[in-house]
Structure formats: structure tokens, C-alpha cells
Amino acid sequence: MDSVAGIVIAFIASIFISNFATKLKFLPKITIYIIIGIVVGPSVFNFITNETVNNLYIIKKIALGLLLFIVGEEFTFSKIKKIEKKVLGVSFFEISLTFLLVGGGIFALTRSYSKALFAGIIATATAPASTLMILREQSSEGKLTTFIKGMTGINNMFALIIFILSYPFIYYLDFGSLPGGTLHNFWLSFLTVFE
């Protein structure tokens, strides 16, 4: 099937089924979108092929960037001051626990420090798309909503910064030193993040 036709089928199915599900009030729209993606994607009917999914990579990156921008836009300094200590404390605990559980589990299965480190860092990121969609669908506002948005922003910022900084060490564990040396590349990563 043509990739454009597959995408059109996915959009039409998403509109009709999500509107139907909204009337029944039993599932958030994001859940419907995920189910439709699995059904029309390579796993089931293959209306949207792996090649098409790979070609949509740039759209996914733009969408993710816009979502994180929205999180940052809505999470103003006045809101941060009200809940900063609580958000930072809970985020630190959640990030640490997630990193230890996922990283420890991967290490127990693979005995690979690099895979454990990589998986632990990636696991600390919170999916901003699903979080924001559910909050908007429910017209959610208040302290808890601000708290959730703040944690989403902090978790993703942390995961991104730590991944960039740790990449030279992850590479070193599997393949040896990057050209120029591990410490030199760590310094370049540091400058990339904090310039």
C-alpha cells in the first residue's frame, strides 16, 4: 500500500474511533492513537511501513520539540517559585529510583555497564506528548497539573543533559576511546550543553 494512503487511513481511523471513545468516556484519546498506530503500523496490517515510519523521523523530532516548548511556556517562573522545592525533590527521587531500577535490571540481564547506563538514563525521560494530551483533554488546571508539567520538563531536561555528558563514557565502555580521548570528548559535550 502507498505510504500516503496508509497515513490517511491512520488519520481517518483516529478521528472516528477517538470521537466514539470520547462519547463513551472509557479511554483517553492518546490510548486510542497508540492502539491505532499499532494496528495500522508494521506490527499488524502494515498500512504504514517501517520505511514510512523512518521517513517521518523529522516530523517526530519537530513535534517533540514543540511539545517541550509548550511545557516550558506554561511552566512560568511564578509557578516554579510556588512549588520548586517539592518538584525538585520529587523529581530527584523519581529520577534516581528509575535510573537504579532500570539500569540495575538491564545490568542483571546483560552484564553490560554501557547498556545499563544507557537504558537507565533513557528511562528517566517522561513522555511529554501523552502527559500533555491527557492534561489538555481533561482541561486539567491547578497545583497538581503544574506539578506534573514541572516534573515532565525537569525529567526530560535531566535525561537530555546527562545523556549528552555520559555519551563519551558509554562509548568508551563498548568501543574504547573516541578520537581525541574520552575526557576531551566529555569536555566538548559539556560545552555543547552549557554554552
Side-chain angles (χ1 to χ4, degrees), residues 44-70:
V44 182
F45 289 118
N46 202 30
F47 291 149
I48 299 176
T49 63
N50 275 319
E51 185 182 354
T52 305
V53 172
N54 292 333
N55 290 336
L56 294 173
Y57 176 76
I58 189 67
I59 294 172
K60 290 188 285 184
K61 296 293 281 184
I62 291 168
L64 182 59
L66 289 171
L67 284 164
L68 290 174
F69 180 79
I70 290 167

Side-chain angles (χ1 to χ4, degrees), residues 161 164-165 183-195:
I161 291 170
I164 291 170
L165 293 177
L183 290 177
H184 174 71
N185 281 281
F186 170 76
W187 178 245
L188 291 176
S189 298
F190 183 84
L191 290 177
T192 300
V193 171
F194 295 106
E195 266 187 330

Side-chain angles (χ1 to χ4, degrees), residues 6-170:
I7 293 170
V8 169
I9 289 171
F11 275 124
I12 292 171
S14 298
I15 290 167
F16 281 109
I17 296 173
S18 64
N19 286 339
F20 176 72
T22 302
K23 289 176 184 175
L24 295 179
K25 304 278 185 191
F26 69 95
L27 280 177
K29 285 184 180 180
I30 187 68
T31 308
I32 298 294
Y33 297 148
I34 292 170
I35 292 168
I36 291 169
I38 292 169
V39 171
V40 302
S43 301
V44 182
F45 289 118
N46 202 30
F47 291 149
I48 299 176
T49 63
N50 275 319
E51 185 182 354
T52 305
V53 172
N54 292 333
N55 290 336
L56 294 173
Y57 176 76
I58 189 67
I59 294 172
K60 290 188 285 184
K61 296 293 281 184
I62 291 168
L64 182 59
L66 289 171
L67 284 164
L68 290 174
F69 180 79
I70 290 167
V71 170
E73 184 185 30
E74 292 185 7
F75 200 58
T76 60
F77 282 112
S78 60
K79 292 178 181 177
I80 290 171
K81 284 185 178 180
K82 290 178 184 176
I83 59 169
E84 63 181 325
K85 290 181 181 176
K86 292 179 183 177
V87 170
L88 290 173
V90 173
S91 284
F92 177 77
F93 177 76
E94 181 206 355
I95 288 167
S96 302
L97 188 62
T98 302
F99 178 81
L100 290 172
L101 289 175
V102 174
I106 295 296
F107 181 76
L109 292 171
T110 64
R111 297 295 175 197
S112 168
Y113 287 107
S114 60
K115 288 176 184 171
L117 188 59
F118 179 77
I121 292 168
I122 295 299
T124 61
T126 305
S130 53
T131 306
L132 284 178
M133 280 190 72
I134 290 172
L135 290 175
R136 287 194 170 199
E137 185 180 337
Q138 300 300 320
S139 300
S140 180
E141 288 188 20
K143 287 183 179 179
L144 181 60
T145 301
T146 304
F147 199 86
I148 291 169
K149 287 177 184 175
M151 285 186 60
T152 302
I154 290 168
N155 290 4
N156 283 288
M157 184 176 65
F158 172 84
L160 183 63
I161 291 170
I162 296 301
F163 178 77
I164 291 170
L165 293 177
S166 64
Y167 176 75
F169 300 105
I170 294 172

